[in-house]
Amino acid sequence: MESPRARRNRRARPSRRRPLVYTVLASVAVVGGTAAGTVYVKAQAHSGARPVSSAASPDAAASAASEEASVEPVAVPAVDYDGLLADALDAVAVPDDADVSVAVLDLDSGDSATYGDAAFDTASIVKVDILAALLLQAQDEDRSLTAAEKSYATAMIENSDNASASALWRAIGKAAGLDAANERFGLTGTEGGDGMLWGLTQTTAADQLALLQQVFGDGSKLSETSRKYLQGLMGQIATDQHWGVSAAADGSSWALKNGWLPRSTTGLWDINSIGRVTAADGNDYLVVALSNGNATKEKGISLVESAARAAVSVFAGESTHASASAAATTASQ
């Protein structure tokens, strides 16, 4: 006769069952953007489910249909474009006395990257800002530019004429007018130059990218008419100024404004370039390359062109897409 202890031990032992077979009925990746990055959602059937054929019995089909899917969110880290830009710029030779800051925005995806947050002299790239401020003021006054203003604007942007820039600098109210417009444009690190020294306006790469978005992007304080006018002038730069961010373009599809200024105190050059380019991948990019401390104008041009190409490669280069794809694949496994 079985003792009470034996009966208790028998009841306490786990029953032996056949190994469970996991059959994946579905693996669905649902991608959603979040502040922390991309979330991949995978759905799997519970263990023990079996494929249901068209010949299956109603009871079997109902049983399979009642299986619940388990949702397992897998967070994929956002791509560190700032880090990728810094890596890309490691391949750019920057002279010891020179500094460079770069910003780029992919107009198709809205992704952007910035390298460096120091302030630089604008030199002649401020002429885009001057005209943008003038156009904004004209909109406020519900008027078009006068014939004289248009003549100055054309010479200022297409030929980088300094006398025309000085005339429009006075027209907008000098630094006070520029700063007021920039506050509305969302520029936070730009300050107009003293008196008539518009070329010594201080700015950052991030602010110049914000300005380019006002010219080329959506949600601008500038009207569509104002934007197209400024874009048109930036697309007709004089032939001797076909350098700078245009080096990152595929062919002649670009619009830009360059700035160059030899500093009397050091003999070194400020060389800057801002604009929109269409790259080899067919996408449009806004690109900013600021530099100072260049030994010659030519060396400064070479620096900003190399920086512009490196910036666009962050989004248009194969290595970037491969890195992003690898990160997504690893995180979704």
Side-chain angles (χ1 to χ4, degrees), residues 61-126:
S63 175
S66 67
E67 294 287 355
E68 297 179 357
S70 64
V71 178
E72 178 191 356
V74 181
V76 178
V79 177
D80 180 11
Y81 287 115
D82 287 351
L84 291 174
L85 177 56
D87 291 342
L89 287 171
D90 282 343
V92 176
V94 181
D96 291 338
D97 293 333
D99 292 306
V100 66
S101 185
V102 185
V104 58
L105 181 143
D106 183 342
L107 282 171
D108 295 272
S109 70
D111 293 322
S112 64
T114 304
Y115 174 85
D117 57 4
F120 290 74
D121 299 327
T122 56
S124 285
I125 62 170
V126 75

Side-chain angles (χ1 to χ4, degrees), residues 145-153 168:
L145 297 187
T146 66
E149 287 171 338
K150 287 182 178 180
S151 178
Y152 287 138
L168 295 184

Side-chain angles (χ1 to χ4, degrees), residues 194-267:
D194 293 335
M196 292 300 295
L197 301 178
W198 43 260
L200 295 185
T201 294
Q202 295 289 291
T203 195
T204 64
D207 264 17
Q208 287 302 299
L209 192 62
L211 177 63
L212 288 175
Q213 287 179 270
Q214 291 293 315
V215 178
F216 294 97
D218 297 325
S220 173
K221 297 296 183 182
L222 297 175
S223 68
E224 183 178 359
T225 299
S226 293
R227 293 197 308 273
K228 286 186 175 180
Y229 176 67
L230 188 40
Q231 291 170 15
L233 295 179
M234 293 177 69
Q236 301 179 76
I237 299 298
T239 304
D240 64 340
Q241 296 171 38
H242 287 188
W243 52 265
V245 298
S246 57
D250 179 25
S252 60
S253 185
W254 49 261
L256 62 80
K257 183 68 191 82
N258 297 323
W260 57 100
L261 177 67
R263 297 308 309 270
S264 59
T265 54
T266 63

Side-chain angles (χ1 to χ4, degrees), residues 295-330:
T296 65
K297 179 181 178 182
E298 291 71 25
K299 289 183 178 180
I301 290 174
S302 177
L303 174 58
V304 297
E305 289 186 339
S306 296
R309 283 190 290 263
V312 170
S313 76
V314 169
F315 297 98
E318 293 181 0
S319 59
T320 298
H321 297 304
S323 297
S325 176
T329 301
T330 300

